[in-house]
Amino acid sequence: MDSESTVTTCYRHPKVECHVRCTRCERYICPDCMREAAVGHQCPECVREGARSVRQARTVVGGRVSAVPVVTYVLIVVNVLVYVAELVRPEIVDRFAMVGAGLTGPDGGHYLWADPYPAGYTPEGLVGGEWYRLLTGAFLHLPPTEGTFGVFHVVMNMVALWNLGRLVEPMLGRVHFLVLYLLSALGGSVLVLLIAPQDAVVGASGAIFGVGAAYYVLARRVGLHMGQVNRFMTGLLLWLVLSALVTSWEGHLGGLLAGGAVSLAFAYAPRDGRRAVVQVGACLLLVAVLTAAAVVKVSGLTGGGLPQ
């Protein structure tokens, strides 16, 4: 009696004869569909299903693990490109620096704020409705016309960001790190507005001080050896004191405080389903507080009426 052999084919490629089964679903698979597994081979669908069921690694604050500090590198590139733009168009500094209250004269010059201001003069800065300056000033640096410190300003800040960002960003994750950086910059600008509204301030230092505060908080959170961390913080605080002589200590202190607050919320939020809610809520609360402080200050500078 003749028996006809049964021909088995791949479930994805019915015209291809095969004799290997997927170790998970036991469907026949051809060489093109075989995926190496711990034991035997699996089909593409089972591989995808398995990948979805694998728990993704997270940072200590719940962010996605990232071995490459992409945000740090992007921020450095943006700051350098903006500085090149300053060299080509020096007026960019006056247009986008953090200024709380100033005046532009009929001759195009910049003058101290006065309320009421003389005829022919126009408000400049936040009192003129230029709220974007709260962040744009953090991406500008002193131009070379300020002497040697002009170039040293951007170089020093980018070196600090390079060293700190490569430590902190992998501990936070990209999204958390970017939020920390921007809120630290915002905190620095708001403190400048509150204490020295007539100063024109530029520099990424406020945001970098916030990243420095986060490094300290996260180091304590994960139990790093604190000897080196404490020495770092001593140097950061010394920089804060010395900055009163050459740059804006208000911006540095504001960034330090804002960054510390954000990193505390990130690091010590409950490690359950509420973590994201607590972290987002803390950031929104900080934004609300900083916004309210800025609005009240500008309102006071303009005699109780906000600029139109």
Side-chain angles (χ1 to χ4, degrees):
M1 181 176 178
D2 294 332
S3 61
E4 186 175 321
S5 60
T6 302
V7 177
T8 56
T9 60
C10 175
Y11 83 98
R12 299 177 74 232
H13 304 98
K15 295 183 179 181
V16 179
E17 181 179 352
C18 56
H19 306 281
V20 176
R21 292 175 182 265
C22 170
T23 56
R24 291 190 66 180
C25 67
E26 297 189 346
R27 290 180 292 188
Y28 285 100
I29 48 178
C30 66
D32 288 340
C33 296
M34 292 179 187
R35 303 293 184 266
E36 288 283 349
V39 178
H41 297 82
Q42 294 182 4
C43 66
E45 291 182 13
C46 288
V47 170
R48 285 195 295 270
E49 182 65 27
R52 282 196 294 269
S53 64
V54 174
R55 187 175 182 180
Q56 297 295 318
R58 293 286 178 175
T59 67
V60 67
V61 304
R64 290 181 178 273
V65 172
S66 174
V68 180
V70 173
V71 175
T72 297
Y73 298 154
V74 169
L75 288 171
I76 291 173
V77 169
V78 170
N79 276 275
V80 172
L81 289 177
V82 171
Y83 195 73
V84 172
E86 290 180 36
L87 301 180
V88 178
R89 301 285 297 272
E91 63 271 19
I92 288 177
V93 177
D94 292 330
R95 185 69 182 84
F96 295 99
M98 170 53 206
V99 177
L103 292 173
T104 301
D107 57 354
H110 305 280
Y111 301 89
L112 295 179
W113 171 253
D115 184 33
Y117 46 87
Y121 289 72
T122 56
E124 179 183 38
L126 271 63
V127 295
E130 298 167 344
W131 295 93
Y132 54 83
R133 290 178 181 262
L134 287 168
L135 283 179
T136 56
F139 292 91
L140 299 168
H141 288 83
L142 293 174
T145 53
E146 295 292 330
T148 305
F149 187 72
V151 177
F152 182 67
H153 187 210
V154 66
V155 171
M156 180 178 65
N157 278 345
M158 292 306 100
V159 170
L161 179 56
W162 170 271
N163 289 317
L164 274 173
R166 290 186 300 165
L167 292 173
V168 177
E169 185 178 341
M171 299 171 74
L172 287 176
R174 293 172 183 171
V175 174
H176 287 77
F177 181 76
L178 181 60
V179 171
L180 167 76
Y181 189 91
L182 295 177
L183 288 183
S184 298
L186 181 62
S189 294
V190 170
L191 196 60
V192 169
L193 170 66
L194 297 179
I195 298 177
Q198 299 194 45
D199 288 352
V201 177
V202 295
S205 304
I208 294 171
F209 266 82
V211 176
Y215 175 54
Y216 179 79
V217 171
L218 292 169
R220 294 188 66 88
R221 175 68 177 81
V222 301
L224 294 182
H225 186 271
M226 294 305 294
Q228 180 178 352
V229 178
N230 288 332
R231 287 192 294 273
F232 163 76
M233 286 305 296
T234 300
L236 193 68
L237 294 175
L238 179 61
W239 182 13
L240 175 62
V241 173
L242 294 178
S243 68
L245 303 176
V246 290
T247 56
S248 168
W249 67 267
E250 299 93 346
H252 295 175
L253 180 59
L256 184 73
L257 295 175
V262 171
S263 55
L264 283 171
F266 284 169
Y268 292 97
R271 301 184 65 179
D272 54 28
R274 298 173 296 164
R275 176 156 62 180
V277 175
V278 171
Q279 291 175 345
V280 172
C283 292
L284 292 177
L285 177 61
L286 178 61
V287 171
V289 170
L290 293 176
T291 302
V295 169
V296 170
K297 181 64 177 182
V298 171
S299 178
L301 290 169
T302 54
L306 293 178
Q308 299 299 317

